[in-house]
Amino acid sequence: MAARAGVSRATASRVLNASPRVSPEAQEAVTAAVVELGYQPNHAARALVTRRSGAVAVVFSEPEPKIFDDPHFAWLIRSAARALADADVQMVLMLVHSPQDQARAERFLAGGHVDGALMFAPHKGDHLLTAARKLPLPVVYAGRPWGSLRGMHLVDHDNEGGGLLATEHLISLGRRRIVSVTGPLDEHSARDRLTGWRLAVGADDETTALMTEDGGFSREGGKRAMEALLARVPDLDAAFIASDHMAAGALDALRDAGRRVPEDVAVVGFDDHPMIAPHTSPPLTSVRQDTTAQVRHMVTHLLRLLRDEPIKAKREVLPTTLVKRASAP
């Protein structure tokens, strides 16, 4: 192929490995030769030379039922697969929950099978986080992991600002008894969204204990949490729900209790998930976080780390916005 292109083997190799140290003329000649000869690279041989696998692990530290039942995770996986495919990188999906899963994941990630990892849903006390800090490969986190952030790369959303935005919108509608269904508070995203609600309503610890309930980021949990809040705060007139999945369950509970939305109770969710928010009854006002953009930023960070390119910010926070629909117009 190098002979057909009229270049050296070294130049042809640099073109095939996407090196920037190639002239446009050589790039064009080698590309033409590849097409003409129908050349297919030997990835095993390339891996021996470059010590790169051409694969990236996408790691979810969550139980399997949650991964496959929650549309948010399905959207994350789809976005990661598309972003990595666009970069010509193979995705290796890893679900880690049990101690056995963790031990296997640590061996795999340290064994040279992948070039880097994208890490999702780190919980407080998750031992995989400790192991990830010691891995001999770059890792980019979705959201803020627990512990020191020194030397870590992450892409997060402005969860606190989103919680504040949602609750301030409910206040602007004249609502005064605003409860909140939170996610698990061993996740920073859930804590930050709760902080936004607390700032907006001026809640102290006692008020927070009365007016909030953990819904576990599931539809069933959202329904149970709203039922508990209706029993504890019967005069509630608005709710900030920290995920659309929980909000769908909360709407079920409000309907069962005979509460009209938004006439009796205005509701704002979080995610603006395209498979949930526009399709609830009534359609859900929600805080939008662009999951696809988050994953693409993570992939960009990781690819730059693999190429030893400088990165302006190790910790990137993407904005959130409010999308108004009938549940809190």
Side-chain angles (χ1 to χ4, degrees):
M1 184 195 60
R4 180 63 62 93
V7 299
S8 69
R9 289 185 178 182
T11 297
S13 177
R14 284 195 292 270
V15 171
L16 293 174
N17 286 287
S19 170
R21 298 184 296 111
V22 180
S23 69
E25 294 78 11
Q27 174 81 40
E28 184 177 350
V30 173
T31 301
V34 166
V35 174
E36 183 179 350
L37 297 174
Y39 172 77
Q40 293 292 324
N42 186 320
H43 291 288
R46 179 184 292 181
L48 288 173
V49 175
T50 63
R51 299 193 178 187
R52 293 282 174 84
S53 67
V56 163
V58 176
V59 185
F60 287 91
S61 188
E62 293 282 5
E64 290 181 14
K66 186 171 183 179
I67 294 294
F68 293 111
D69 292 345
D70 189 335
H72 177 66
F73 287 106
W75 197 262
L76 284 172
I77 293 170
R78 177 181 176 183
S79 298
R82 184 71 269 154
L84 289 169
D86 289 346
D88 196 25
V89 174
Q90 179 63 45
M91 182 180 84
V92 178
L93 179 62
M94 303 182 69
L95 307 182
V96 180
H97 183 55
S98 69
Q100 293 79 11
D101 292 340
Q102 180 183 320
R104 185 169 56 253
E106 289 178 24
R107 292 194 302 270
F108 184 87
L109 293 171
H113 304 291
V114 294
D115 300 325
L118 306 176
M119 193 84 63
F120 291 84
H123 294 263
K124 188 175 184 180
D126 192 333
H127 296 295
L128 188 61
L129 289 174
T130 303
R133 296 172 192 268
K134 302 175 183 178
L135 289 173
L137 76 170
V139 177
V140 178
Y141 294 86
R144 191 167 83 256
W146 291 87
S148 170
L149 298 181
R150 186 174 182 179
M152 304 188 76
H153 294 267
L154 64 90
V155 181
D156 201 0
H157 281 100
D158 184 8
N159 289 292
E160 181 178 314
L164 181 66
L165 184 65
T167 312
E168 287 182 337
H169 174 63
L170 292 169
I171 292 171
S172 75
L173 297 178
R175 307 302 170 118
R176 293 296 177 264
R177 296 288 281 171
I178 304 171
V179 298
S180 181
V181 176
T182 77
L185 297 182
D186 65 345
E187 294 185 41
H188 273 302
S189 61
R191 282 179 174 265
D192 290 346
R193 293 170 197 181
L194 175 60
T195 297
W197 171 86
R198 290 187 64 159
L199 289 172
V201 301
D204 57 18
D205 290 345
E206 183 178 349
T207 302
T208 300
L210 173 68
M211 304 286 283
T212 67
E213 189 75 20
D214 181 356
F217 279 149
S218 72
R219 180 167 184 153
E220 296 76 15
K223 186 174 190 292
R224 288 193 299 269
M226 180 54 70
E227 288 170 345
L229 287 167
L230 285 167
R232 202 159 64 230
V233 191
D235 60 340
L236 66 88
D237 62 2
F240 164 52
I241 318 292
S243 80
D244 290 350
H245 205 205
M246 292 192 299
L251 289 173
D252 292 339
L254 290 167
R255 189 178 305 109
D256 291 347
R259 302 292 183 95
R260 300 169 301 163
V261 177
E263 293 85 354
D264 301 325
V265 181
V267 177
V268 176
F270 201 109
D271 290 333
D272 192 37
H273 195 289
M275 299 303 293
I276 300 177
H279 305 292
T280 58
S281 180
L284 185 65
T285 293
S286 184
V287 176
R288 173 176 291 171
Q289 56 173 357
D290 192 336
T291 299
T292 300
Q294 180 186 25
V295 173
R296 288 197 172 275
H297 281 245
M298 291 173 67
V299 170
T300 297
H301 275 242
L302 186 60
L303 294 179
R304 286 177 177 169
L305 288 172
L306 291 172
R307 294 192 294 259
D308 294 321
E309 295 178 1
I311 297 178
K312 291 182 179 180
K314 290 184 177 181
R315 294 181 287 277
E316 186 175 5
V317 179
L318 304 179
T320 51
T321 57
L322 186 69
V323 179
K324 297 178 185 179
R325 297 188 181 90
S327 70

